[in-house]
Every structure is written in structure tokens, then in C-alpha cells.
Amino acid sequence: MKKVKFLLMAVFAIALASCSSKPKQTEEEQEEIKSFEQEQIEESIRVQLDSIANVLSGLKALPILEQTKSGELKLTDEEKKVKPDYLLSPEIAKEAITLSEKYRVLVALSIDQTVAELYDMDTKAYNEATAQLLSEINDPGFRIFAENGDLVVESQEIYEAEVQAGRLNYFWQSVATSLIEQMYILCQNQEKFLPVFDDESVANLTLRIALLQDAINRLVEYDPELVEVSEAIKPLEKLNAITVDELKSDLNKMTNEITAARNQLVL
């Protein structure tokens, strides 16, 4: 069987191009954050990133969050008694130092809060932690979506907001964190969360991974902080599922690698 990444990427006609020249990197650093000069990105790369983001935003949200927020995914009273022990503690927000860490922890906590609400857990601490992180990153684009109760980092609107704010790199770090955190949650409770997937959503997941890796690989030479993200998501190349059964098989083989990726990004 041909690799699904190739097939899906071909369907959306996303051209692959290599960058022949490497722009000069700034040597200036803020106290904790290495500068990211967005204007250094070559126009051809920017066009390709825009295309990738456009395809990404056109995909349906992963069903774990989509069905939880819509109320389609429900738990019985008995299931709610067994609280998940794999969610991040809101206290982790205090350990986020760099701007990259703050973005990634913010996204991960937002996802975990949705799962916590599913189990009728007290989410006051999550609200406080995400509010504090939103204040610290001071990003109008993220704040608008957070106020709407849905921090969807894959949306075209937030992508364009991050481009305008000169924070394109943080958009892709956030997308990577969102994907990894949801896959980690799926690995931790396949019995409950895998049934919400169908073959179409599995194929979309695989396409999501291919798009994300393509974008990160294009940006990594412009931002040293993205090297860590690129390394974290690299094991996802092994996921090649287009059916629910194939996804289950892949997850069983990759649980440890997905857990390591999650820990690398947010712990």
C-alpha cells in the first residue's frame, strides 16, 4: 500500500520545494527568548506555509474535542467516578518560562481542561492557569479565540492573526502541541476515545501529521526553538493509518513515543 501521507498530500496538491539559501540569523536575544525574524522567511516558503495552513484549517477538528464540546461524547456516572490521572496539573503553568513554553503549555492545558470537564472535574485551576498564560503571552489573536471558549490553533483566522503579529513560529508550535496532546489522551484511554473516530477522521489525522511536519521542517532553520518541536513530532512519521483498525494498531506500537513527544513539548 502506498504511503497515505503521499496520497493525501497529492490530493491537496501541496508542492514541495527546497530552500537553497540560508538567511542570516539574528544574534540578539531577549532575556529568555531567542528572536524570531519572521521577515527573513523567503516568499516562496511563506506561500507554501500559507497553503499548508489553508488545508489544515479546512479539516474537521479531531473528534475527541469536537464531540466532547458538542456534547455527543458522554460518560456514564460510573465512568465519571474514575478520574483521569494522565492530565496535566494546572500548576505546570508556573514552570513555563520561555514564550515557546507558555504557548505550548497554554494549548495543552486548554485541551486537558476540556477532558476534565467531561469527567465533571473542578476546572477552576485550569481557568486561572490559562488566563495567566494568556496574559503573559499577550497575544490578541489567541485571546479572541480563548474568549470564545475555543482555542482552535488550526483555524485560518488565528493563523492570519499570528502572521500579522509576527508570531508565525508560535502558531506552528501550538498546532504541534495540540495534535500531540490529543494523541496522548487517545493513547491513555483508547476504550473511550477511539470509538469516536471513523475512517475519514483517521485519514484526516494522518494528513494533519504530514502537514504539520512539512510546515515545521520548512521553518526550523529560521527558528532554533523549532528544532525541539521537530524532534518531538518526528516519530509520528510512523503513523500511516487510514482506517480505525490501522490507527488502533499504530497507537499500540507508538504509545511510548507519543508519550515521550508530549513530555518533550510540555514537561
Side-chain angles (χ1 to χ4, degrees), residues 156-184:
Q156 188 67 23
E157 292 84 356
I158 201 168
Y159 172 79
E160 293 172 357
E162 296 309 285
V163 170
Q164 291 299 316
R167 297 192 178 194
L168 184 62
N169 54 336
Y170 299 118
F171 170 83
W172 291 109
Q173 291 197 52
S174 299
V175 171
T177 304
S178 175
L179 178 61
I180 289 293
E181 187 67 12
Q182 291 181 73
M183 291 187 66
Y184 172 76

Side-chain angles (χ1 to χ4, degrees), residues 8 63 194 197-207 239-247:
L8 291 171
L194 191 59
F197 282 80
D198 57 20
D199 290 350
E200 180 183 3
S201 58
V202 171
N204 281 342
L205 169 61
T206 302
L207 174 57
L239 195 148
N240 199 32
I242 57 173
T243 68
V244 175
D245 287 341
E246 290 175 350
L247 177 59

Side-chain angles (χ1 to χ4, degrees), residues 25-47:
Q25 294 181 348
T26 179
E27 295 180 355
E28 298 179 356
E29 294 184 13
Q30 298 178 3
E31 182 177 352
E32 299 164 342
I33 310 157
K34 188 174 290 293
S35 176
F36 171 69
E37 299 296 339
Q38 184 165 294
E39 65 270 16
Q40 290 182 346
I41 301 176
E42 294 186 12
E43 183 60 25
S44 61
I45 302 297
R46 274 294 308 277
V47 170

Side-chain angles (χ1 to χ4, degrees), residues 2-263:
K2 293 183 178 180
K3 278 191 170 294
V4 66
K5 292 185 179 66
F6 173 79
L7 292 173
L8 291 171
M9 295 289 278
V11 169
F12 289 95
I14 295 178
L16 300 178
S18 60
C19 180
S20 58
S21 61
K22 195 170 185 177
K24 183 179 179 180
Q25 294 181 348
T26 179
E27 295 180 355
E28 298 179 356
E29 294 184 13
Q30 298 178 3
E31 182 177 352
E32 299 164 342
I33 310 157
K34 188 174 290 293
S35 176
F36 171 69
E37 299 296 339
Q38 184 165 294
E39 65 270 16
Q40 290 182 346
I41 301 176
E42 294 186 12
E43 183 60 25
S44 61
I45 302 297
R46 274 294 308 277
V47 170
Q48 291 155 11
L49 289 172
D50 289 349
S51 297
I52 293 170
N54 184 57
V55 176
L56 190 66
S57 66
L59 300 176
K60 285 186 177 181
L62 291 181
I64 294 176
L65 291 187
E66 183 180 46
Q67 293 194 22
T68 298
K69 291 178 178 180
S70 69
E72 294 178 67
L73 179 59
K74 299 180 184 297
L75 298 179
T76 65
D77 290 339
E78 288 300 313
E79 287 175 322
K80 290 179 181 179
K81 290 178 181 179
V82 184
K83 306 301 183 186
D85 59 1
Y86 49 81
L87 301 180
L88 292 168
S89 166
E91 290 294 311
I92 198 175
K94 299 176 182 178
E95 301 175 16
I97 304 301
T98 68
L99 196 54
S100 291
E101 291 170 348
K102 292 179 190 294
Y103 271 93
R104 298 196 305 246
V105 171
L106 169 61
V107 171
L109 286 178
S110 298
I111 292 169
D112 284 16
Q113 179 174 344
T114 300
V115 177
E117 290 169 350
L118 181 65
Y119 283 85
D120 290 342
M121 296 168 62
D122 185 357
T123 57
K124 180 181 178 181
Y126 282 100
N127 287 325
E128 293 174 348
T130 55
Q132 181 62 36
L133 288 169
L134 280 167
S135 175
E136 291 173 0
I137 68 173
N138 191 27
D139 187 325
F142 267 61
R143 186 175 294 279
I144 290 171
F145 280 85
E147 288 173 353
N148 292 334
D150 191 10
L151 187 60
V152 183
V153 294
E154 295 175 359
S155 73
Q156 188 67 23
E157 292 84 356
I158 201 168
Y159 172 79
E160 293 172 357
E162 296 309 285
V163 170
Q164 291 299 316
R167 297 192 178 194
L168 184 62
N169 54 336
Y170 299 118
F171 170 83
W172 291 109
Q173 291 197 52
S174 299
V175 171
T177 304
S178 175
L179 178 61
I180 289 293
E181 187 67 12
Q182 291 181 73
M183 291 187 66
Y184 172 76
I185 290 170
L186 176 58
C187 286
Q188 297 303 309
N189 193 352
Q190 286 192 45
E191 182 178 351
K192 189 63 186 179
F193 294 125
L194 191 59
V196 305
F197 282 80
D198 57 20
D199 290 350
E200 180 183 3
S201 58
V202 171
N204 281 342
L205 169 61
T206 302
L207 174 57
R208 224 179 222 95
I209 292 170
L211 293 169
L212 174 62
Q213 290 178 323
D214 190 5
I216 294 292
N217 289 339
R218 293 177 190 280
L219 274 175
V220 73
E221 67 179 299
Y222 299 95
D223 183 4
E225 288 189 338
L226 285 172
V227 173
E228 180 181 22
V229 180
S230 177
E231 292 174 349
I233 65 175
K234 186 171 179 56
L236 297 184
E237 293 176 351
K238 299 177 183 178
L239 195 148
N240 199 32
I242 57 173
T243 68
V244 175
D245 287 341
E246 290 175 350
L247 177 59
K248 182 177 182 179
S249 176
D250 284 351
L251 290 175
N252 290 336
K253 297 174 184 175
M254 298 173 60
T255 296
N256 290 339
E257 290 171 299
I258 291 171
T259 299
R262 186 253 201 167
N263 292 345

